Amino acid sequence: MGRYIIQRVALGLAILLVAISVLYALMITLPGDPTTVFLGPRATDEMRAVFSERLGLNNPVPVQILQFWGRIFSGDLGEDVLRNRPVATPVFAALPNTLILVLASIGWSAALGILLGAFSAACRNSLVDRVTGVLSVAMLAAPSFVVALWSLLIFAVVLNWFPAIGAGEHGDLADRIHHLVLPSFAIGLAWVGYIARIVRASMLEVMGENHIRTARAFGLPPHKIIYRYALRIAVLPAVSVLGVGVGGLLSSAVFAEIVFARPGIGRLIYESVISRNYPVVMGSMLVAIAFFVMCTLAADLVNAMLDPRLRTSKKS
Amino acid sequence: MSIAERSSFKYTAVGRLMSDPLAVAAVTIIALLVLCAVFADAIAPYDYKALNVRERFAPPSFVHLLGTDNLGRDTFSRLLFGARIALFVGLTSVGLAALIGLMLGMVAGFGPRWLDNAILFLFDTLRAYPTIILALALGALLPPGLGTVILVVVLTTFSEYGRVARTQTQALSAQEFIDAERAMGASPARILFMHILPNVLGPFFILAAINLPVVITIEAGMSFLGVGVAPGTPSWGATLKDGFDYIRNTPWLIVSGGIPLVLVTLGFTFLGESLRDVLDPKLRKER
């Protein structure tokens, strides 16, 4: 197990290094003069000279990538040249909002999805099961940004039940939760269906196993067997799937943050892309991709802990 | 049951598919989409790019079935042409991604260990970019247009096909009939293309059907964010963006722009599900 962990962590770090380096190389090589890219078309020649000197833009590309990593490892995400502040300032101001949003979405969708999945497995082939099955696929299919737009229109613009803009006042918990409802609904809806399907399938598998049969032979009430014994094992695949799904969650979060004008990493990336503020684009993407790679890694490790077969066969 | 009965229509793959009401609904939706895309010129009541400032923000009526946008363009006509874009981007990028994934996956599954590891590393690295975040990065660097959309989609999806092709190839090349081929002196290329390829293709169609709506959603999402199609192109995502910008003036844009997207996603997802049940029950867990 120890060897497996080291291998996976090393691979995860390598992936992160390569993925970010490629992105950085693209940024500095693709569209002509990098100083124009980083400083914008209105930069003076003097600004450009100072900037290329400071970032070492006259060096060959591999050296520049090494210098970029050198800055990152010394804790410097770069400088937001357009607004004269470190890139870390907006990035770390935005990060908690995104994390809260993602966690809230996972939370409600996992709770509902697990319940629905367990229920349809318990009443297999009943009308409820059939309807849940169709609904799960339907929820899975609804694009999250359409759900976000429709819920914005219905619940914020027409009915005025929830606020349309922002993340709420700092320190006012009720207000912040009120602002969280619609975005986390839009992000989580697809996951309800997905988790319900996974839990249903693994429930059916678990229900056929020996210890469940034994419990039944001892005369335990069915609801106790289902919700106490079987469900405990059946939710594990759903947990591991969530880790891998964080990428999709992050993508949905970009849309939810834009539609509901919520300050967060997704919105920061979007706004810096639109204003061509490349240092902020690079810094915020670094954080987002690192977060995603870590979640995938964590999911892999959790999976391996639960299922020893995965450890021995290194090939996924 | 006689053999004749067994081979009757009801027991063919298509027959089984058509006995599933959801599959029938799915096929109907997809057929409608294709019809809209092909005959968009004939059905559309207006030119999709014709501006009409006097009738801007017009609500749905018999003159403009789904209303007009902030520039007075007819929403219904734009959505019809949007079907064309969705289908074009979907089919092109799914085709390209499947082709690249197939090639790399078969090479990885059949080739030497180091090559397998290198290709797997490539797949893993591409998986590290959340789709929309990569789309935003490339959208910032490349000019907007269908080419950029297709590039982003292919980059983020081909590794999925690659993985399936690799697993299938590995499983197949351990089988006896491949050993027999090798013993008879068949070249690796012959083994790959004559014996492994036909066996890999089956799961690919299911994966493609499941991925098509994902791709169409990515296109709409990118266009919604303004890093997709060029301005003025009647993509469904662009219609939603116009609706979002003028949500208090033209709520019908958000409603009607989202409906085709949801319908198409539902159609292809249900079709993919049914195809999977009919063709390959083993693939149920893949996603």
Side-chain angles (χ1 to χ4, degrees):
Chain A
M1 186 68 196
R3 212 184 125 191
Y4 179 82
I5 293 181
I6 293 171
Q7 257 176 359
R8 289 305 307 182
V9 171
L11 184 66
L13 285 178
I15 287 171
L16 187 62
L17 273 175
V18 173
I20 298 291
S21 301
V22 169
L23 209 56
Y24 188 71
L26 281 179
M27 292 253 168
I28 55 179
T29 49
L30 251 188
D33 182 15
T35 53
T36 321
V37 173
F38 278 92
L39 295 175
R42 278 166 294 179
T44 61
D45 286 342
E46 200 180 330
M47 274 166 77
R48 279 171 213 229
V50 172
F51 189 72
S52 6
E53 184 58 40
R54 210 179 69 211
L55 286 189
L57 289 176
N58 306 321
N59 297 327
V61 173
V63 177
Q64 285 190 49
I65 293 175
L66 284 180
Q67 287 174 332
F68 170 73
W69 281 109
R71 287 197 300 277
I72 299 295
F73 284 123
S74 63
D76 177 15
L77 271 185
E79 193 158 347
D80 178 354
V81 265
L82 293 188
R83 298 226 190 131
N84 254 328
R85 59 179 177 178
V87 168
T89 312
V91 169
F92 289 107
L95 193 59
N97 280 326
T98 304
L99 291 183
I100 291 171
L101 179 60
V102 168
L103 280 179
S105 316
I106 291 179
W108 85 264
S109 58
L112 187 60
I114 290 171
L115 267 179
L116 275 179
F119 193 72
S120 8
C123 319
R124 197 180 169 192
N125 292 332
S126 66
L127 184 68
V128 179
D129 179 27
R130 185 97 182 116
V131 171
T132 314
V134 175
L135 272 184
S136 313
V137 182
M139 287 185 212
L140 245 168
S144 77
F145 73 101
V146 175
V147 178
L149 284 169
W150 284 0
S151 44
L152 172 77
L153 180 65
I154 297 170
F155 298 111
V157 175
V158 177
L159 296 175
N160 221 346
W161 288 353
F162 295 99
I165 287 174
E169 285 294 317
H170 267 286
D172 185 349
L173 189 64
D175 191 40
R176 287 184 78 82
I177 292 175
H178 199 204
H179 279 81
L180 201 57
V181 173
L182 288 183
S184 59
F185 169 75
I187 298 175
L189 191 65
W191 284 87
V192 177
Y194 192 24
I195 292 172
R197 279 161 59 97
I198 293 171
V199 170
R200 178 182 182 276
S202 75
M203 267 297 262
L204 290 176
E205 211 169 289
V206 173
M207 291 298 281
E209 276 173 20
N210 285 338
H211 70 282
I212 299 296
R213 212 176 44 200
T214 313
R216 214 180 268 148
F218 274 112
L220 287 175
H223 67 89
K224 194 167 180 186
I225 299 177
I226 291 170
Y227 296 104
R228 267 284 180 74
Y229 297 98
L231 190 58
R232 193 178 280 188
I233 304 170
V235 294
L236 294 179
V239 173
S240 61
V241 147
L242 274 173
V244 184
V246 168
L249 281 170
L250 278 178
S251 289
S252 310
V254 174
F255 288 116
E257 284 171 1
I258 290 164
V259 169
F260 296 101
R262 247 184 96 83
I265 280 284
R267 193 175 153 79
L268 183 68
I269 294 177
Y270 172 70
E271 283 181 341
S272 46
V273 161
I274 294 301
S275 61
R276 298 289 188 265
N277 189 344
Y278 289 88
V280 179
V281 173
M282 206 55 226
S284 43
M285 287 209 179
L286 177 86
V287 172
I289 294 174
F291 176 67
F292 178 40
V293 170
M294 279 193 297
C295 289
T296 326
L297 185 65
D300 275 352
L301 294 181
V302 169
N303 257 343
M305 267 192 306
L306 301 176
D307 190 347
R309 280 169 301 177
L310 286 177
R311 261 176 268 161
T312 42
S313 68
K314 269 167 285 170
K315 308 206 155 188
S316 55
Chain B
M1 191 191 305
S2 72
I3 291 174
E5 258 179 283
R6 199 183 283 245
S7 61
S8 71
F9 179 70
K10 218 172 140 188
Y11 294 95
T12 64
V14 178
R16 268 184 292 162
L17 198 63
M18 285 299 120
S19 63
D20 180 356
L22 280 180
V24 176
V27 171
T28 315
I29 293 174
I30 294 165
L32 266 177
L33 168 78
V34 174
L35 283 179
C36 286
V38 174
F39 296 109
D41 302 283
I43 309 173
Y46 296 89
D47 179 359
Y48 71 84
K49 44 187 190 313
L51 308 181
N52 186 347
V53 184
R54 227 184 294 162
E55 285 181 30
R56 62 201 291 244
F57 301 130
S61 66
F62 285 112
V63 185
H64 293 284
L65 280 179
L66 297 174
T68 63
D69 62 11
N70 55 314
L71 298 172
R73 297 174 298 193
D74 183 56
T75 312
F76 181 59
S77 308
R78 288 183 74 73
L79 291 179
L80 283 174
F81 280 92
R84 205 174 262 190
I85 292 168
L87 215 54
F88 173 74
V89 171
L91 291 176
T92 320
S93 33
V94 164
L96 275 176
L99 193 68
I100 299 174
L102 185 67
M103 293 294 165
L104 285 176
M106 287 201 326
V107 169
F110 200 73
R113 183 72 180 264
W114 64 268
L115 194 59
D116 183 25
N117 282 335
I119 293 176
L120 263 190
F121 186 75
L122 173 73
F123 290 170
D124 280 338
T125 308
L126 283 169
R127 208 178 62 149
Y129 298 110
T131 309
I132 285 303
I133 290 181
L134 182 69
L136 280 170
L138 292 180
L141 297 170
L142 302 170
L146 290 181
T148 307
V149 177
I150 292 171
L151 178 73
V152 167
V153 173
V154 170
L155 275 182
T156 48
T157 55
F158 81 77
S159 63
E160 205 176 324
Y161 297 95
R163 276 168 190 285
V164 173
R166 174 178 168 274
T167 320
Q168 293 279 105
T169 310
Q170 265 180 349
L172 283 167
S173 46
Q175 288 195 1
E176 268 176 15
F177 76 103
I178 300 292
D179 280 343
E181 276 294 313
R182 247 189 231 124
M184 284 193 289
S187 68
R190 185 185 159 81
I191 295 178
L192 269 181
F193 287 103
M194 298 295 290
H195 298 288
I196 291 185
L197 182 64
N199 286 300
V200 175
L201 282 180
F204 259 65
F205 284 107
I206 304 167
L207 198 57
I210 294 175
N211 262 342
L212 206 55
V214 178
V215 168
I216 291 177
T217 311
I218 296 175
E219 183 273 313
M222 285 179 71
S223 302
F224 176 76
L225 294 178
V227 293
V229 296
T233 316
S235 153
W236 293 337
T239 303
L240 283 168
K241 169 74 177 153
D242 292 337
F244 176 59
D245 288 342
Y246 296 92
I247 191 164
R248 282 170 205 281
N249 300 321
T250 55
W252 49 88
L253 279 185
I254 288 183
V255 178
S256 54
I259 287 174
L261 206 51
V262 171
L263 276 182
V264 165
T265 325
L266 275 179
F268 278 109
T269 311
F270 280 132
L271 180 71
E273 298 275 316
S274 318
L275 267 182
R276 186 161 57 179
D277 291 348
V278 169
L279 295 179
D280 188 2
K282 274 179 294 181
L283 220 84
R284 257 166 202 277
K285 275 184 137 179
E286 291 270 354
R287 202 196 101 94

